[in-house]
């Protein structure tokens, strides 16, 4: 991102030079400043009297190019520029829960809270939170150890910062304390509830762990066919109107993560408004409170500056890593990474970089890899386990999955939930294509299900996938010759595909009974449909007419997913028995 500083250039950037930096030229968000003080790539610079934040993207002699994070209207040559001496860092603390922020993690509900490299916020004192100490003065602590607990909507702690260890010489008493007030002193270093961290630097961990614990999303098509592990990565490609945002919103509402970080990167403002409104009114099925209380929303819409859009995904992952270091499981939902990649393309074009495929920068693959690499199941410095799972939407133009962003993303993710236009237009939700999707986590998660008491999970998943594939194979033939021209066994295969699609895979996102599905209900529905399909096959193999089997009323089985509550299995079993009884009348 920009030119490197030569030794001669570094010599001209002497910290002792007394000439104040000033703005030389303003071209939209791209600002050139004259600066003889020590600056480095990615450093934050405040521009003008309004102190607009920007990032150093190129250095050439005494001319430093800064890309502004905000609209630069009113900024003019001669205005002051103030280098901050470090890269963009954000304040991380319990106040993030339930908040809505822009790409720089500034609250959108009040005056900004940008944390620059100086470590100072525009608000000197944050809100107060209940604190209960865990250690006493004189105790020896290491990086990542918990000094005490914070009374928040999810279990949070005050941790010893990375790189700090020693004797606790002071610890605050139990009670309410401000985020920015010193909670403890460790080896001469003050520790606060709120801390700062550069957004592009991954937070350190003790070790990475295998991702072998399932993340239950409540969406049957995902949990059964293309499951994802905690600490894994997912891409959700799909053209316009295929339901990407709806699927991601449902996962944000229903997945069993402890904290959700929803990053709206370059999406339309009305969609982000809908997300924020729904999260604010939904009841959290796990806690009984508001779902927003364990959600952090980074709203960087399409009308916001390009540089803030590029930063927003790094900000979202940094927030997720902060909560992961509390021993929590966090899901980052990025909607969409295509808009983020477009910001990279726009930035590269302004900097005059040599374009690669479709104008994207040559480092696009590396940027995508670095983003998804921050997802992991880890053992944190304090010894507990935590995870960050990244789910990124991809919006290929015209649904072309060979375009660079989609093609590169598929190389780096563990799971792919490809959305099918035909399914979406047929009002089949979620429109996850069972032919074009995959899960590299399935084998590891089969063992996890077996350990949890469901050893038939892998076989059940394999049977459903095989039957759907067989029904798809026959679909084109049915369109040519009609279903009545097929042999009886293949006619039952076509029927099986319909029963699986309508009775198991499809969900109603607007139904209180079907919007969310527990693993137990998913298993009961799958067993019920597969049992009925097996009975149909037995009947035609024993001489029953295929049209008689097709004429049976399967409505109770198809309606079981909505008649049964999210955690109920008895109505599903009753519907199965009723349909089996009707099939028994054909004998």
């Amino acid at each position: 991102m920009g030119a490197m500083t030569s030794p001669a250039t570094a010599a001209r950037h002497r910290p002792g030079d007394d000439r104040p930096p000033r703005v030389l030229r303003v071209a939209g968000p791209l600002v050139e400043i004259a600066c003889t003080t020590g600056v480095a790539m990615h450093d934050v610079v405040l521009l003008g009297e309004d102190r607009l934040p920007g990032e150093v993207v190129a250095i050439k002699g005494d001319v430093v190019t800064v890309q502004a994070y905000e609209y630069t209207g009113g900024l003019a040559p001669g205005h002051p520029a103030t280098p901050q001496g470090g890269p963009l860092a954000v304040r991380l603390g319990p106040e993030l829960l339930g908040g809505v922020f822009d790409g720089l993690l500034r609250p959108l509900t009040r005056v900004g809270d940008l944390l620059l490299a100086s470590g100072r916020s525009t608000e000197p004192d944050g809100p107060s939170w209940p604190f209960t100490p865990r250690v006493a003065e004189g105790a020896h602590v290491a990086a990542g150890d918990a000094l005490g607990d914070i009374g928040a909507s999810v279990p949070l702690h005050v941790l010893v910062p990375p790189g700090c260890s020693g004797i606790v010489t002071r610890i605050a008493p139990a009670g309410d304390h401000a985020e920015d007030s010193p909670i403890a002193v460790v080896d001469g270093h003050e520790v606060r509830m709120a801390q700062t961290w550069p957004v592009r630097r991954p937070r350190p961990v003790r070790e990475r762990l295998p991702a072998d614990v399932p993340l239950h999303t409540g969406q049957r098509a995902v949990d059964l066919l293309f499951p994802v592990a905690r600490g894994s990565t997912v891409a959700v490609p799909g053209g316009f109107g295929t339901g990407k945002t709806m699927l991601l919103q449902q996962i944000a509402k229903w997945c069993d993560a402890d904290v959700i970080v929803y990053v709206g990167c370059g999406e339309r403002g009305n969609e982000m408004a809908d997300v924020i409104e729904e999260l604010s009114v939904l009841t959290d099925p796990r806690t009984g409170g508001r779902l927003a209380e364990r959600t952090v929303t980074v709203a960087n819409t399409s009308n916001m500056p390009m540089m803030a859009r590029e930063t927003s995904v790094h900000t979202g992952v940094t927030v997720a890593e902060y909560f992961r270091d509390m021993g929590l499981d966090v899901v980052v939902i990025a909607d969409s990474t295509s808009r983020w990649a477009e910001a990279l393309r726009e930035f590269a074009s302004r900097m005059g970089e040599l374009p690669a495929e479709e104008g994207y920068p040559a480092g696009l693959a590396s940027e995508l890899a670095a983003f998804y690499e921050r997802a992991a199941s880890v053992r944190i410095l304090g010894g507990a386990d935590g995870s960050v799972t990244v789910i990124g939407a991809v919006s290929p133009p015209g649904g072309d999955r060979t375009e660079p962003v989609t093609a590169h993303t598929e190389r780096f993710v563990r799971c792919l939930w490809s959305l099918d236009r035909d399914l979406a237009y047929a009002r089949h939700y979620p429109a996850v294509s069972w032919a074009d999707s995959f899960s590299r986590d399935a084998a590891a998660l089969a063992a996890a299900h077996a350990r949890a008491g469901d050893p038939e999970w892998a076989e059940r998943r394999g049977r459903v996938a095989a039957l759907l594939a067989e029904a798809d194979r026959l679909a084109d033939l049915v369109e040519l010759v009609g279903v009545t021209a097929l042999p009886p066994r293949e006619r039952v295969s076509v029927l099986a595909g319909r029963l699986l699609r309508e009775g198991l895979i499809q969900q109603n996102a607007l139904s209180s009974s079907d919007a969310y599905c527990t693993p137990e209900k998913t298993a009961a529905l799958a067993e019920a449909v597969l049992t009925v399909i097996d009975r149909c096959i037995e009947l035609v193999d024993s001489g029953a007419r295929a049209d008689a089997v097709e004429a049976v009323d399967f409505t109770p089985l198809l309606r079981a997913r909505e008649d049964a509550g999210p955690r109920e299995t008895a109505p599903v079993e009753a519907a199965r028995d009723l349909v089996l009884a009707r099939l028994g009348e054909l004998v």
Side-chain angles (χ1 to χ4, degrees):
M1 295 175 63
M4 296 183 61
T5 306
S6 67
T9 301
R12 283 195 292 270
H13 288 256
R14 295 187 299 274
D17 211 324
D18 59 357
R19 286 178 293 178
R22 65 190 186 283
V23 174
L24 295 178
R25 186 172 73 93
V26 181
L30 206 64
V31 180
E32 289 185 353
I33 66 173
C35 183
T36 57
T37 58
V39 294
M41 293 293 295
H42 307 303
D43 277 3
V44 171
V45 178
L46 301 183
L47 304 168
E49 299 294 343
D50 293 333
R51 299 173 66 83
L52 305 177
E55 181 177 313
V56 174
V57 296
I59 302 172
K60 187 175 182 181
D62 291 340
V63 177
V64 176
T65 304
V66 177
Q67 183 75 31
Y69 290 118
E70 295 184 1
Y71 174 63
T72 56
L75 188 66
H79 283 186
T82 311
Q84 297 298 291
L88 177 69
V90 292
R91 188 174 79 174
L92 305 171
E95 189 186 11
L96 295 175
L97 290 171
V100 181
F101 307 87
D102 69 1
L104 306 185
L105 211 60
R106 296 177 297 186
L108 294 178
T109 54
R110 63 179 191 277
V111 177
D113 203 8
L114 175 65
L115 221 301
L116 301 171
S118 64
R120 292 189 299 274
S121 169
T122 55
E123 295 183 2
D125 294 312
S128 296
W129 296 86
F131 170 74
T132 305
R134 277 194 183 187
V135 300
E137 293 181 2
H140 185 278
V141 293
D145 288 347
L147 296 170
D149 301 326
I150 303 172
S153 55
V154 297
L156 299 181
H157 317 291
V158 177
L159 303 178
V160 180
C164 178
S165 63
I167 303 298
V168 178
T169 57
R170 177 185 173 275
I171 186 74
D176 291 348
H177 297 273
E179 278 191 343
D180 293 324
S181 63
I183 293 296
V185 177
V186 178
D187 193 30
H189 300 280
E190 292 184 343
V191 180
R192 295 172 169 80
M193 286 189 189
Q195 55 182 268
T196 66
W197 194 262
V199 298
R200 288 186 173 85
R201 184 195 305 167
R203 292 175 63 89
V205 298
R206 184 176 296 183
E207 63 176 314
R208 294 174 74 100
L209 302 174
D212 57 4
V213 178
L215 175 73
H216 297 296
T217 67
Q219 311 303 298
R220 289 187 296 271
V222 170
D223 292 340
L224 178 60
L225 294 176
F226 310 108
V228 58
R230 296 182 181 183
S232 191
T233 53
V234 184
V236 188
F240 177 77
T242 54
K244 294 187 299 300
T245 300
M246 172 63 78
L247 175 59
L248 295 179
Q249 289 178 13
Q250 290 296 99
I251 291 173
K253 297 173 191 175
W254 302 113
C255 77
D256 59 354
D258 297 309
V259 175
I260 305 295
V261 181
Y262 195 103
V263 183
C265 179
E267 288 301 293
R268 291 178 289 274
N270 61 326
E271 290 185 350
M272 280 307 308
D274 290 343
V275 172
I276 295 168
E277 182 179 2
E278 288 192 30
L279 292 177
S280 65
V281 299
L282 279 175
T283 300
D284 188 348
R286 301 177 62 182
T287 66
R290 293 187 308 118
L291 182 61
E293 292 176 355
R294 60 181 180 91
T295 302
V296 182
T297 305
V298 180
N300 201 262
T301 54
S302 55
N303 63 330
M304 293 183 178
M306 173 269 298
M307 200 64 184
R309 196 187 327 153
E310 189 273 336
T311 304
S312 61
V313 296
H314 301 292
T315 300
V317 178
T318 301
V319 171
E321 290 176 342
Y322 165 74
F323 289 109
R324 176 207 65 192
D325 288 352
M326 305 287 176
L328 302 174
D329 295 306
V330 188
V331 169
V332 177
I333 297 177
D335 188 11
S336 82
T337 56
S338 292
R339 307 289 179 260
W340 172 55
E342 289 170 3
L344 293 174
R345 179 169 61 183
E346 183 180 346
F347 172 74
S349 175
R350 289 179 178 176
M351 294 303 299
E353 295 183 13
L354 187 66
E357 295 178 83
E358 298 188 15
Y360 288 103
L364 174 64
S366 299
E367 293 280 356
L368 287 167
F371 168 60
Y372 284 106
E373 180 68 17
R374 293 179 71 170
S377 177
V378 302
R379 180 149 296 140
I380 60 178
L381 297 178
D385 294 346
S387 68
V388 172
T389 306
V390 175
I391 304 176
V394 186
S395 306
D400 178 17
R401 287 178 50 187
T402 64
E403 60 90 30
V405 180
T406 308
H408 287 309
T409 300
E410 289 185 15
R411 295 166 52 197
F412 304 124
V413 295
R414 298 283 301 171
C415 304
L416 184 76
W417 303 338
S418 181
L419 301 185
D420 183 82
R421 188 183 301 275
D422 292 338
L423 286 175
Y425 287 179
R427 305 183 69 82
H428 177 107
Y429 170 83
V432 177
S433 168
W434 43 83
D436 297 326
S437 304
F438 64 77
S439 171
R440 297 188 177 106
D441 293 333
L445 297 182
H449 282 284
R451 292 193 300 269
D454 187 8
E456 293 83 18
W457 182 87
E459 180 182 358
R460 188 162 57 241
R461 173 180 180 268
R463 285 207 61 203
V464 170
L467 287 168
L468 288 171
E470 176 67 8
D472 285 350
R473 184 186 69 83
L474 295 171
D476 292 338
L477 188 60
V478 169
E479 290 184 1
L480 288 174
V481 300
V483 70
T484 56
L486 298 179
R489 188 71 177 263
E490 293 187 339
R491 290 178 66 171
V492 172
S493 294
V494 175
L495 173 64
R498 181 174 73 87
L499 295 179
L500 287 171
R501 289 192 303 272
E502 298 179 14
L504 175 62
I505 303 301
Q506 188 173 355
Q507 282 185 250
N508 184 352
L510 303 179
S511 167
S512 59
S513 298
D514 201 33
Y516 167 72
C517 188
T518 60
E520 293 76 18
K521 181 181 175 182
T522 298
L525 284 169
E527 289 287 358
V529 176
L530 291 174
T531 300
V532 168
I533 291 171
D534 289 341
R535 182 56 178 156
C536 292
I537 293 174
E538 291 173 1
L539 288 172
V540 296
D541 285 348
S542 62
R545 293 173 52 192
D547 56 351
V549 173
E550 293 168 341
V552 171
D553 184 8
F554 294 98
T555 301
L557 184 66
L558 300 181
R559 289 192 54 83
R561 60 185 176 84
E562 293 204 47
D563 291 339
R567 293 173 173 80
E568 294 180 337
T569 58
V572 176
E573 296 167 356
R576 175 202 62 196
D577 294 341
L578 177 59
V579 173
L580 288 175
R582 291 175 179 176
L583 288 171
E585 297 173 359
L586 299 180
V587 178

